[in-house]
Each structure stands twice: as C-alpha cells, then as structure tokens.
Amino acid sequence: QVQLRESGPGLVKPSGTLSLTCEVSGVSITTSSRNWWGWVRQAPGKGLEWIGEIYHSGSTHYNPSLKSRVTISVDKPKNQFSLRLSSVTAADTAVYYCVRTSVTRWFDPWGPGTLVAVSS
Amino acid sequence: EIVLTQSPATLSLSPGERATLSCGASQSVSSSFLAWYQQKPGLAPRLLIYDASSRATDIPDRFSGSGSGTDFTLTISRLEPEDFAVYYCQQYGSSPWTFGQGTKVQIK
C-alpha cells in the first residue's frame, strides 16, 4: 500500500523559503517507472492548485504561475522528494499535499497534508 | 491554461437521492483526461474517477463519470450519508493541470 506523508515547518516568515519533504512508503520512487511525484496546495477555504511534479530521473514540470519560485527535487536513497518555494507571502499560506501522479497525471494517493502559514 | 467551471456550487439533497455534478472546460480536454475527487473536511482529496469514466480502486459503483470534450458529469446514483462532501474535477489533458472550484454536496 502506497503511503505519502509531508513534513516541514508549519510557519515561515514573509520573504522566506518554504521547505517541505514527502516521505514515500510502500513503493520505490526509483522503480516506479509509470509515476511522477508532485505537490498540490489548498489555501484555507479555497480550491486546489497544482504546484509541480518530478520524475525519478530528476525531470520536472512546474505550474507557470509559480515556476520562478519553485524547486522540486528527489532523494532516491531516502525514497522522498521535496518542495522549496521562495519569496513567500501570505498568499502562500495553504495546506500542502504531496501526491503520486499517474503517467497520465491524475493524483492518487495523496498525503494527509500539512498546513504552512506565512506570517511574521 | 484550461479553466474548469463546476456547477452547481452547492447541491442540497437527501440521502437516497441522485446527485448530478457538472464540470465544464474552457477548451476541449484531450483524450477525456479528466478526474474527479471527493474531499471531506480536514482530509485530503480522494480519487474517485479517472479518464472521465473509470472508477478508482475500491470506489463504489454508485459513483459514475461521463462526458468528453468540454462537458463532463459525475453522478452519484443514490446518496449515502458518507457521500456528503466537496467534489472537484481536474483536467490533465494540457499542462498546467487544473482543478475546478468544487461542488459541495450537502444534506437537505
């Protein structure tokens, strides 16, 4: 059974960098050749926004709306992948979910999510 | 990017009733690459339907999806108490992958 779990600071200061890690269990990122691994966020009371994705080779795709501030990386020995979002503002306050992404790009499963607040 | 518009925003129904949720796309979604998710308060979304009409693993057959091009529908044939939640559609035919704003199915 594939499981994902996000971890990282719950509070980031404005203009700082948000950093989250997603630990994957039940499957190897390296050998899961039909999957990408991604991040989706949800601002409080709002809808869902796709942030970006990474393949085990290191190839990435980002949402153009966030591309200038986002970096997604993979750590194959630890079977995890990470999100960095720079120059954050209050608008980046959200629950951040990591997701396994199918080869065609639907999302399943999702991690439980972690709330990150941007505040001084 | 493809904009998805879900309607209605809120659907008030009773258990046992049929629910019909719509998702309209600003341009054609290639290969019917459209998914539906269910989200309950405080929980992560759960995949229900992918490729417009394929049920995900362990999803009851009262959930069905249909549609192509720019018009898609999620139908819940008989609402169970656990089905009252928010439902999102997502297109993955054209990057960036985008979501609709959601339809809340609430108890009447």
Side-chain angles (χ1 to χ4, degrees):
Chain A
Q1 179 185 359
V2 179
Q3 292 187 317
L4 293 79
R5 181 164 295 276
E6 308 87 354
S7 62
L11 181 65
V12 182
K13 293 188 186 313
S15 76
T17 297
L18 177 158
S19 295
L20 296 174
T21 296
C22 181
E23 181 179 334
V24 178
S25 60
V27 68
S28 166
I29 287 178
T30 304
T31 59
S32 190
S33 61
R34 293 183 58 80
N35 296 121
W36 290 66
W37 304 89
W39 293 92
V40 175
R41 70 179 182 178
Q42 185 172 36
K46 302 296 184 182
L48 300 161
E49 180 180 30
W50 174 70
I51 299 171
E53 63 193 10
I54 190 165
Y55 194 58
H56 65 77
S57 64
S59 295
T60 54
H61 297 136
Y62 299 129
N63 192 321
S65 67
L66 298 167
K67 186 175 183 177
S68 64
R69 300 192 291 129
V70 173
T71 302
I72 297 176
S73 58
V74 64
D75 186 333
K76 286 182 275 190
K78 292 185 177 180
N79 211 40
Q80 61 189 31
F81 59 103
S82 299
L83 169 70
R84 286 174 58 86
L85 181 66
S86 63
S87 304
V88 297
T89 69
D92 295 309
T93 293
V95 175
Y96 286 77
Y97 297 101
C98 59
V99 294
R100 182 178 65 169
T101 306
S102 77
V103 66
T104 47
R105 305 307 201 281
W106 37 264
F107 306 129
D108 180 58
W110 298 55
T114 188
L115 175 62
V116 180
V118 178
S119 174
S120 55
Chain B
E1 77 179 43
I2 295 179
V3 176
L4 299 179
T5 302
Q6 292 185 239
S7 61
T10 304
L11 198 52
S12 297
L13 295 168
S14 300
E17 289 193 295
R18 181 184 188 90
T20 303
L21 288 67
S22 296
C23 177
S26 60
Q27 54 189 281
S28 183
V29 177
S30 63
S31 303
S32 296
F33 281 162
L34 189 113
W36 290 93
Y37 301 86
Q38 176 193 68
Q39 186 177 35
K40 297 180 180 180
L43 297 180
R46 176 177 71 144
L47 177 70
L48 298 176
I49 301 287
Y50 63 94
D51 294 350
S53 60
S54 296
R55 265 189 304 277
T57 303
D58 295 331
I59 300 302
D61 61 6
R62 64 179 181 273
F63 291 92
S64 63
S66 63
S68 63
T70 60
D71 296 302
F72 298 87
T73 301
L74 174 69
T75 302
I76 310 171
S77 59
R78 294 171 310 279
L79 282 165
E80 297 288 341
E82 62 268 27
D83 299 336
F84 291 92
V86 179
Y87 293 83
Y88 293 95
C89 57
Q90 176 231 340
Q91 68 81 23
Y92 45 98
S94 174
S95 182
W97 326 128
T98 52
F99 294 87
Q101 81 281 14
T103 289
K104 182 178 182 179
V105 179
Q106 64 181 23
I107 299 176
K108 187 174 182 179

